[in-house]
Amino acid sequence: VQLQACGGGLVQAGGSLRLSCAASGRTFSYDLGWFRQAPGKEREFVAAIRRGGGNTYYAEAVKGRFTISRDNAKNMVYLQMNSLKPEDTAVYYCAARSSYNSGYSPEYDYWGQGTLVTVSS
């Protein structure tokens, strides 16, 4: 599976962005997730969605502001980001896994190249 994330950019605090991630293969049998890495920090979990699409998981820092969704027919996963804050500035990565694991687990098999989100104050 190859993943290609896009949709990053520069936005003012309080604004919104929608990240998209296209997968080369059929994603219906994969859990999909979003992670981010801020400058000088470790990569961290942001959100995940189960292969069936029924269960979603969010980091506390983004709960209520970000929404993860997927379209298996298009092999796409999305991250709608609202009420953005300067601390959301990071490179955002999408990821996929075929194995079953905790919804918050950072263990993924495939990773995209990342898209930069910059939130100005």
Side-chain angles (χ1 to χ4, degrees), residues 5 15 19 26 34 36 41-42 46 51-52 65 79 81 90 92-93 100 114 118 121:
L19 304 184
R26 301 175 71 181
W34 286 96
R36 68 186 181 186
K41 295 188 176 181
E42 298 285 320
V46 174
R51 58 204 70 195
R65 300 188 296 122
L79 186 69
M81 306 186 294
Y92 284 71
Y93 299 89
Y100 189 86
T118 303
S121 57

Side-chain angles (χ1 to χ4, degrees), residues 25-48:
R26 301 175 71 181
T27 58
F28 65 89
S29 61
Y30 291 83
D31 290 349
L32 300 172
W34 286 96
F35 290 75
R36 68 186 181 186
Q37 187 167 19
K41 295 188 176 181
E42 298 285 320
R43 185 167 61 192
E44 64 177 3
F45 168 81
V46 174

Side-chain angles (χ1 to χ4, degrees), residues 35 45 48 97 101-108:
F35 290 75
F45 168 81
R97 64 178 176 220
N101 213 322
S102 162
Y104 299 96
S105 171
E107 300 297 324
Y108 279 76

